[in-house]
C-alpha cells in the first residue's frame, strides 16, 4: 500500500539538466525525511542528497553534487524532486528516492540517468 513512483530520468549530454520526481502514495503522511541516492554501474549505492523539514530543517549534499543539484519537496503532492544541473558523465547512475516513515525506509524503483561525454 506504500508506493514511490519515480520519473524524469533519461539520456543527456554533459552540461545538460534533468529534474527527477518521486511521488509517494499510500500510508505515508509525511515526506519530511527524504533523500536521493544513486548507484553507478558496478558500484555501491551512495547518498546524493537528503533533507528533513520536521522541526529544525536541514539539507545535506554529497560533495560531488554541491552547487549543481537541489533537493526539494511538494508537501501537498507528497512528491520529492531532484533538480540536476551541469550534469557530468560521472553522474551516470540509477537514481533512487527514499522516504523514512516511522522508522521504515521506502524506496522508489529507480530511474536511469545517463550523461554522455
Amino acid at each position: 500500500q506504500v508506493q514511490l513512483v519515480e520519473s524524469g530520468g533519461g539520456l543527456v549530454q554533459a552540461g545538460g539538466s534533468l529534474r527527477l520526481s518521486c511521488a509517494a502514495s499510500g500510508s505515508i503522511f509525511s515526506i519530511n525525511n527524504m533523500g536521493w541516492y544513486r548507484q553507478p554501474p558496478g558500484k555501491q549505492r551512495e547518498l546524493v542528497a537528503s533533507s528533513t523539514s520536521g522541526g529544525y530543517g536541514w539539507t545535506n549534499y554529497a560533495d560531488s553534487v554541491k552547487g549543481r543539484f537541489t533537493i526539494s519537496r511538494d508537501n501537498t503532492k507528497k512528491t520529492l524532486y531532484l533538480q540536476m544541473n551541469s550534469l557530468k558523465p560521472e553522474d551516470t547512475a540509477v537514481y533512487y528516492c527514499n522516504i523514512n516513515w516511522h522508522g521504515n525506509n521506502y524506496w522508489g524503483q529507480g530511474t536511469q540517468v545517463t550523461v554522455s561525454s
Side-chain angles (χ1 to χ4, degrees):
Q1 59 181 333
V2 176
Q3 188 176 29
L4 274 59
V5 179
E6 298 184 39
S7 62
L11 173 64
V12 297
Q13 292 185 343
S17 297
L18 286 172
R19 190 178 78 156
L20 306 183
S21 298
C22 173
S25 62
S27 300
I28 295 180
F29 309 126
S30 170
I31 57 169
N32 288 341
N33 303 311
M34 64 177 192
W36 286 93
Y37 296 74
R38 67 187 182 188
Q39 187 167 17
K43 295 182 173 62
Q44 292 282 93
R45 187 175 298 182
E46 64 186 24
L47 176 69
V48 176
S50 60
S51 177
T52 183
S53 60
Y56 182 78
W58 51 260
T59 57
N60 181 54
Y61 295 93
D63 288 340
S64 59
V65 307
K66 284 181 179 177
R68 300 189 298 120
F69 291 11
T70 304
I71 186 172
S72 63
R73 61 170 64 78
D74 185 325
N75 289 313
T76 300
K77 293 180 168 61
K78 294 201 293 185
T79 300
L80 321 180
Y81 302 99
L82 184 68
Q83 179 67 46
M84 305 184 294
N85 299 325
S86 302
L87 284 162
K88 304 175 180 179
E90 50 263 44
D91 295 319
T92 295
V94 178
Y95 283 71
Y96 299 89
C97 59
N98 171 271
I99 296 173
N100 185 274
W101 172 248
H102 282 183
N104 293 322
N105 285 306
Y106 299 95
W107 295 90
Q109 187 172 344
T111 185
Q112 177 71 48
V113 172
T114 302
V115 185
S116 63
S117 59

